Amino acid sequence: MKELLEHLEKRLGKKFDEADVRMAHPLVLAYIGDTIYDLFVRTYLVMAYNVPVHQLHVKAIDFVRAKGQADTLRHIVRFLTEEEQDIVRRGRNAKPGTMPKNASVADYRLATGFESLLGYLYLTGRDERLFEILDYILDNAKEGGKGERG
């Protein structure tokens, strides 16, 4: 993942350093974190299941919907560093302009905190920690049956 950031930094002639990431609005971190998580989940599902696209989409929903992300955060929070918990807190407390119809306010805010964490780890180039968290999520999903429908 670092290669993508390095490529863009070279192309744009601008370095996106840790201070820039720390100063970024939590919703900006959540914006990129949502994409990182979605790409990870979809790639995992394509590699793990030989099923039609509609079934892949149904499986992906379990992971990427706000309730799924909130539940994931509830499971991993005890493994997060204080710095990571602070990023989650900032994301959770950010005031979004809109709310989804199919999620509670509490779940949506936790999901935003989770996405902020993933965005932060990605943008700071902490791939090893990002993959550690994502692997933990997949291990939990296998044990709990998440994404195993159909």
Side-chain angles (χ1 to χ4, degrees):
M1 293 229 173
K2 277 185 184 179
E3 291 84 9
L4 177 60
L5 286 174
E6 290 168 356
H7 174 78
L8 289 173
E9 287 172 349
K10 181 179 173 184
R11 182 164 175 85
L12 296 172
K14 178 185 180 213
K15 180 97 172 116
F16 204 62
D17 62 22
E18 191 161 336
D20 294 325
V21 178
R22 285 190 168 281
M23 297 300 294
H25 193 282
L27 294 179
V28 171
L29 298 176
Y31 173 76
I32 194 75
D34 177 59
T35 299
I36 294 301
Y37 191 55
D38 190 59
L39 178 62
F40 179 80
V41 166
R42 288 172 187 259
T43 303
Y44 162 72
L45 293 174
V46 165
M47 293 177 74
Y49 297 96
N50 184 19
V51 297
V53 171
H54 176 72
Q55 289 179 22
L56 292 171
H57 176 71
V58 170
K59 290 176 181 297
I61 289 169
D62 285 341
F63 285 94
V64 300
R65 65 190 169 116
K67 176 148 179 41
Q69 290 181 5
D71 289 345
T72 295
L73 180 60
R74 288 181 186 105
H75 283 98
I76 68 168
V77 72
R78 66 184 178 272
F79 299 111
L80 300 180
T81 66
E82 283 193 38
E83 176 188 30
E84 292 166 347
Q85 289 180 25
D86 184 52
I87 298 298
V88 167
R89 218 175 351 268
R90 285 182 55 220
R92 184 193 66 211
N93 293 334
K95 303 287 189 240
T98 60
M99 294 292 293
K101 298 176 209 163
N102 300 324
S104 72
V105 172
D107 282 347
Y108 186 70
R109 289 187 174 220
L110 285 174
T112 302
F114 173 70
E115 292 170 346
S116 295
L117 173 62
L118 298 183
Y120 175 79
L121 293 172
Y122 168 71
L123 289 174
T124 55
R126 298 179 185 178
D127 291 355
E128 186 174 325
R129 181 60 173 156
L130 177 63
F131 292 138
E132 192 176 297
I133 290 170
L134 293 171
D135 285 343
Y136 178 81
I137 292 165
L138 290 182
D139 291 344
N140 249 359
K142 288 177 186 171
E143 290 170 14
K146 183 188 280 186
E148 299 295 325
R149 294 183 300 165

